[in-house]
């Protein structure tokens, strides 16, 4: 979704719908899913019965007081329901936008004989091959098997600039609902109806498939336990008070119970979880589960690719350096010859730099040359023409190639290669037949601000490890410039898995980013795997998060959002429990001061009357929920710092604040009730 859509999520219609939903959620079958608030609803129902049948309950003289208790309890439930409904409403608003994208489109399916038949996109099945031409909407998730096209993905990512997708490589996956702007592609459908990327996204943002996380389940168990304890306390209070001669109204006992149980966090817990998922989604990251978001908050180690993540990734030719007895012009000419028809960014940059330096070449002369594309096995590319081999590639690979042809290695090759590597560049050796002519200095640049971002992660207690295919010297230079904690040079896919497992064996949670099929095993092994939307389907299926903007550095923000979710839940729980202290000092003296005058000394707030004290505490208990809804939705601002300092800070703000705020709030409500003669 675009930023303007994100900022307008709290709309009038959404608030009205949330109000309606908060009433619908009064259904006991729905309320039972939240045991804390279900207890409040039972208490509300009992007070309603007292109002309707006062003689039966023997409360004829205090019906007015019970009516106020009933209305306050009802508002408490409605406020809690409203918080959850509002959080769900934000997700549904995003889902509605996505559903407009997921329209039934006509697909051009290719039959086994090669003919085109037009079918509805809902009739497509996994394995079907479709033709998508200029102006067509891609009918389903799949992988390009033939062709190249410019694709508008703004319906999914919010970005208006089209992206180039082509068959082969790591950028061949397409998403249903996106549109081909130019050219054509053949797509093999990889999912059945209802299982597409967009279907999963709609389901997740609606909250239909949201499962409670382990942290949330544990907290919910704690809240239920506390509720059961206070129910037992209040039930046993009735015979005890009768024994000591204190007449205790059932409505007062219900008010005490509601104030004692953790209603604040009980009412906001679900909303916090939904809002956390929503924050990730609005950040254009699709989390496959709430567990993934929470795991991001507990990350200890982050594995990052160098190219495209820490650096811009577009290595460009910066200089031609001759070796041995050769000149710079000879190195320039050899580099140009080895890069004919090399359409990679590096290859094009070599040709451009050579032309800038005055090197010329009759490209028509080499049209019939045998082009040797780059291969991971050889780590070289170039051409063969009229029995002469022209190559460029990794220094060790070119050295081996030259030795096999009986050539001699220049004595200054290694020294000059190390000089380039020490500057953070990548040296490519150039050879003609069995003679090394020179080096190409390829330069990649560290993205601005990366050092500061890694410093923030360090403050969070997160270790950063850079993985790169570069040689150790180049890797070390880039690692120092970027400010990462460690690096793995000449890294292969299996090395990433090894690093992840080594960290996990030490009890650490690991996050990593990736986009290629060869990244899939490592993404699956990591506790938090963030796949790029531009990457392969295998990578997206292996990961538990997908970045729709395909920005590898976004893993840093995802970690911050995860920590923010955990902090928000912890802080509001602390605040809720701390609230109860003030309520004890308000209600308990009011309940027992008549029979036990000494209890009046606990009335620090000097509340005007026992009735006012009970109502003030109960009303505060209700109004604090809507006051905290914005905080639950937005989340607590996260500042990078060690866990111990973070805990101390939150205990000071939300623990001490949770104790002080109710004293002030209850006293103010008491003053207002005095004005109205209650």
């Amino acid at each position: 979704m675009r930023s303007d859509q994100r900022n307008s999520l709290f709309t009038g219609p959404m608030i009205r719908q949330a109000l309606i939903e908060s009433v619908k959620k009064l259904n006991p079958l729905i309320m039972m899913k939240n045991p804390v608030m279900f207890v409040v609803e039972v208490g509300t129902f009992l007070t309603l019965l007292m109002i309707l049948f006062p003689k039966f309950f023997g409360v004829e003289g205090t019906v007015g007081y019970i009516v106020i208790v009933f209305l306050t309890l009802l508002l408490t439930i409605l406020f809690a329901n409203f918080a959850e409904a509002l959080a769900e409403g934000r997700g549904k608003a995003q889902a509605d936008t996505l559903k407009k994208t997921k329209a039934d489109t006509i697909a051009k399916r290719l039959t086994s004989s090669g003919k085109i038949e037009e079918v509805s996109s809902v009739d497509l099945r996994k394995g079907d091959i479709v033709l998508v031409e200029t102006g067509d909407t891609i009918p389903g998730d799949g992988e390009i098997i033939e062709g190249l096209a410019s694709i508008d993905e703004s319906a999914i990512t919010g970005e208006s600039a089209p992206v180039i997708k082509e068959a082969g490589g790591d950028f061949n996956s397409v998403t249903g609902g996106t549109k081909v702007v130019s050219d054509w592609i053949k797509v093999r459908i990889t999912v059945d109806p209802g299982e597409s990327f967009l279907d999963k996204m709609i389901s997740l943002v609606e909250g239909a498939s949201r499962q409670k996380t382990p942290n949330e389940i544990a907290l919910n168990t704690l809240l239920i336990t506390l509720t059961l304890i206070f129910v037992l306390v209040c039930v046993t209070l009735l015979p005890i008070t009768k024994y000591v001669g204190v007449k205790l109204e059932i409505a007062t006992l219900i008010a005490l119970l509601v104030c004692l149980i953790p209603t604040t966090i009980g009412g906001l817990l679900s909303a916090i979880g939904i809002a956390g998922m929503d924050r990730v989604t609005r950040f254009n990251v699709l989390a496959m589960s709430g567990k993934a978001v929470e795991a991001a908050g507990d990350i200890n180690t982050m594995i990052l690719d160098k190219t495209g993540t820490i650096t811009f990734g577009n290595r460009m030719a910066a200089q031609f350096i001759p070796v041995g007895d050769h000149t710079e012009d000879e190195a320039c000419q050899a580099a140009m010859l080895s890069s004919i028809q090399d359409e990679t960014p590096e290859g094009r940059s070599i040709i451009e730099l050579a032309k800038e330096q005055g090197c010329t070449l009759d490209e028509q002369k080499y049209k019939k040359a045998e082009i040797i594309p780059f291969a991971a096995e050889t780590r070289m590319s170039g051409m063969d023409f009229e029995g002469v081999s022209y190559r460029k590639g990794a220094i060790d690979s070119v050295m081996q190639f030259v030795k096999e042809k009986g050539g001699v290695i220049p004595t200054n090759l290694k020294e000059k290669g190390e000089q380039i590597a020490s500057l953070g560049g990548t040296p490519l050796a150039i050879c003609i037949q069995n003679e090394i002519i020179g080096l190409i200095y390829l330069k990649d640049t560290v993205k601005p601000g990366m050092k500061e971002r890694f410093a923030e992660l360090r403050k969070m207690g997160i270790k950063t490890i850079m993985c790169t295919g570069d040689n150790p010297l180049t890797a070390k230079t880039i690692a120092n410039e970027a400010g990462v904690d460690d690096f793995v040079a000449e890294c292969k896919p299996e090395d990433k898995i090894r690093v992840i497992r080594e960290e996990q064996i030490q009890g650490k949670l690991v996050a990593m980013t990736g986009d290629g099929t060869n990244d899939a095993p490592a993404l699956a092994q990591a506790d938090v795997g963030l796949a790029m939307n531009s990457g392969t389907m295998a990578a997206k299926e292996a990961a538990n998060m997908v970045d729709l903007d395909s920005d590898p550095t976004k893993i840093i923000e995802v970690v911050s959002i995860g920590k923010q979710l955990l902090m928000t839940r912890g802080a509001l729980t602390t605040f809720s429990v701390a609230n109860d202290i003030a309520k004890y000092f308000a209600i308990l003296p009011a309940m027992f001061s008549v029979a036990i005058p000494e209890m009046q000394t606990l009335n620090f707030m000097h509340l005007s009357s026992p009735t006012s004290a009970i109502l003030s505490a109960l009303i505060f208990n209700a109004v604090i929920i809507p006051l905290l809804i914005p905080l639950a939705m937005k989340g607590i601002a996260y500042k990078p710092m060690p866990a111990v300092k973070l805990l101390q800070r939150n205990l000071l703000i939300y623990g001490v604040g949770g104790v002080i705020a109710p004293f002030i709030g209850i006293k103010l409500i008491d003053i207002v009730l005095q004005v109205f003669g209650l």
Side-chain angles (χ1 to χ4, degrees), residues 6-266:
R6 293 174 185 151
N7 295 332
S8 61
L9 285 174
F10 283 117
T11 61
M14 190 178 297
I15 291 173
R16 286 193 293 273
Q17 185 60 36
L19 289 170
I20 294 169
E21 289 296 321
S22 62
V23 175
K24 290 181 179 178
K25 286 176 179 288
L26 290 173
N27 183 339
L29 295 176
I30 297 175
M31 292 299 298
M32 286 177 72
K33 295 177 183 177
N34 187 340
V36 177
M37 298 314 296
F38 179 66
V39 169
V40 180
E41 185 173 48
V42 172
T44 307
F45 180 69
L46 287 174
T47 53
L48 178 62
L49 291 178
M50 287 184 233
I51 295 168
L52 297 175
F53 308 104
K55 289 183 180 179
F56 179 81
F57 289 94
V59 293
E60 295 181 57
T62 57
V63 172
Y65 164 71
I66 297 171
V67 168
I68 297 174
V69 171
F70 165 74
L71 293 174
T72 307
L73 293 177
L74 181 61
L75 282 174
T76 303
I77 303 169
L78 289 173
F79 286 150
N81 288 350
F82 177 74
E84 184 176 19
L86 193 59
E88 290 174 346
R90 298 178 74 178
K92 287 175 182 175
Q94 294 183 67
D96 290 340
T97 302
L98 293 169
K99 283 176 180 176
K100 292 175 185 176
T101 302
K102 191 180 177 298
D104 183 14
T105 57
I106 298 299
K108 300 171 183 174
R109 184 166 63 187
L110 298 174
T111 64
S112 55
S113 61
K115 293 183 179 179
I116 295 175
E117 58 176 359
E118 293 191 347
V119 298
S120 170
S121 59
V122 297
D123 294 328
L124 292 175
R125 294 294 181 270
K126 188 174 182 179
D128 285 347
I129 296 173
V130 295
L131 174 66
V132 192
E133 299 175 296
T134 302
D136 292 347
T137 298
I138 296 173
D141 293 0
E143 294 183 333
I144 301 172
I145 58 172
E146 187 179 340
L148 174 149
S150 178
I151 299 174
D152 177 8
E153 296 185 329
S154 59
I156 304 296
T157 67
E159 296 295 328
S160 57
V163 294
I164 303 296
K165 295 285 185 81
E166 60 183 323
D170 291 339
F171 301 97
N172 65 343
S173 73
V174 290
T175 305
T178 56
K179 191 174 182 179
V180 172
V181 178
S182 65
D183 300 298
W184 60 271
I185 49 175
K186 287 182 182 179
V187 178
R188 180 187 291 114
I189 301 298
T190 55
V191 295
D192 288 324
E195 299 175 359
S196 73
F197 185 66
L198 203 55
D199 287 317
K200 291 178 184 177
M201 193 170 178
I202 291 169
S203 178
L204 284 162
V205 298
E206 276 186 321
S209 64
R210 191 186 91 86
Q211 295 179 335
K212 289 184 177 180
T213 64
N215 182 285
E216 195 174 349
I217 293 169
L219 182 54
N220 211 39
T221 304
L222 174 63
L223 298 182
I224 293 170
T225 304
L226 288 173
T227 301
L228 288 173
I229 290 170
F230 286 124
V231 167
L232 291 173
V233 168
C234 290
V235 168
T236 55
L237 266 180
L238 199 58
I240 292 172
T241 52
K242 282 186 178 180
Y243 179 78
V244 297
V246 176
K247 185 181 178 183
L248 192 63
E249 296 279 355
I250 296 177
T252 300
L253 199 62
I254 292 171
L256 173 65
L257 173 62
V258 171
C259 287
L260 290 178
I261 64 177
T263 49
T264 305
I265 187 62

